[in-house]
């Protein structure tokens, strides 16, 4: 997870697109939080398009991730996430990834990137500030 948190947003969008396309070609890739996949231009298309595909996927899952992390009724899971803030950004990202998989059925390979992007965009030391800032940045419906 630390490697993902050190990547730039563009690199994360790119990796999200690469992983999603790799899963489409080989569903077995979906089960790993850190799959070994690489960009294949012949199979995936132009890298700019793959990156944009990753951006679209994040926009699609962004609201669901926020709902799960910040407004869900499952108090035990929200407590897990709140407790993770004491362990820093990597702990929060790992916990959020697990919740995305468990509650939304998101593939681990994608959940790790979505959690990393959410934290890159919205991480703050205080949980409430994190959720408030994230909610303000959600796309309008």
């Amino acid at each position: 997870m630390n490697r993902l948190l050190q990547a730039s947003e563009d690199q994360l969008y790119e990796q999200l697109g690469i992983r999603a396309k790799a899963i489409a070609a080989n569903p077995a890739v979906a089960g790993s939080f850190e799959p070994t996949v690489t960009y294949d231009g012949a199979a995936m298309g132009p890298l700019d398009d793959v990156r944009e595909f990753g951006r679209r996927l994040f926009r699609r899952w962004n609201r669901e991730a926020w709902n799960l992390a910040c407004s869900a009724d499952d108090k035990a899971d929200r407590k897990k996430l709140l407790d993770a803030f004491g362990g820093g950004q990597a702990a929060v990202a790992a916990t959020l990834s697990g919740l995305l998989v468990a509650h939304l059925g998101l593939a681990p390979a994608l959940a790790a990137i979505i959690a990393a992007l959410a934290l890159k965009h919205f991480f703050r030391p205080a949980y409430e500030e994190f959720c408030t800032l994230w909610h303000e940045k959600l796309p309008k419906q």
Side-chain angles (χ1 to χ4, degrees):
M1 184 59 68
N2 282 328
R3 184 179 55 81
L4 293 176
L5 292 171
Q6 292 174 5
S8 71
E9 287 181 35
D10 277 345
Q11 290 169 324
L12 290 169
Y13 290 129
E14 187 176 289
Q15 188 60 217
L16 184 58
I18 289 169
R19 288 183 182 192
K21 290 190 177 276
I23 289 168
N26 178 8
V29 170
S32 172
F33 282 100
E34 293 187 34
T36 305
V37 295
T38 57
Y39 169 67
D40 177 353
M44 297 177 180
L47 191 54
D48 286 341
D49 292 348
V50 172
R51 190 178 306 110
E52 182 55 33
F53 178 60
R55 277 189 181 89
R56 288 193 321 267
L57 278 176
F58 179 71
R59 281 193 300 264
R60 176 178 163 202
W61 286 102
N62 189 21
R63 181 166 296 279
E64 293 301 319
W66 179 85
N67 284 334
L68 176 65
C70 299
S71 74
D73 292 328
D74 190 331
K75 300 215 184 303
D77 285 335
R78 289 189 63 197
K79 181 171 178 357
K80 284 180 199 172
L81 190 59
L82 182 59
D83 290 346
F85 273 79
Q89 200 170 12
V92 175
T95 302
L96 182 55
S97 295
L99 293 174
L100 290 169
V101 171
H103 289 277
L104 301 179
L106 196 58
L110 303 180
I113 302 283
I114 290 169
L117 277 163
L119 269 77
K120 277 233 178 256
H121 284 256
F122 312 112
F123 186 78
R124 294 288 181 268
Y127 177 73
E128 292 79 15
E129 290 179 36
F130 168 78
C131 289
T132 300
L133 178 62
W134 189 358
H135 185 258
E136 289 171 1
K137 301 293 183 177
L138 288 171
K140 304 297 180 223
Q141 290 184 344

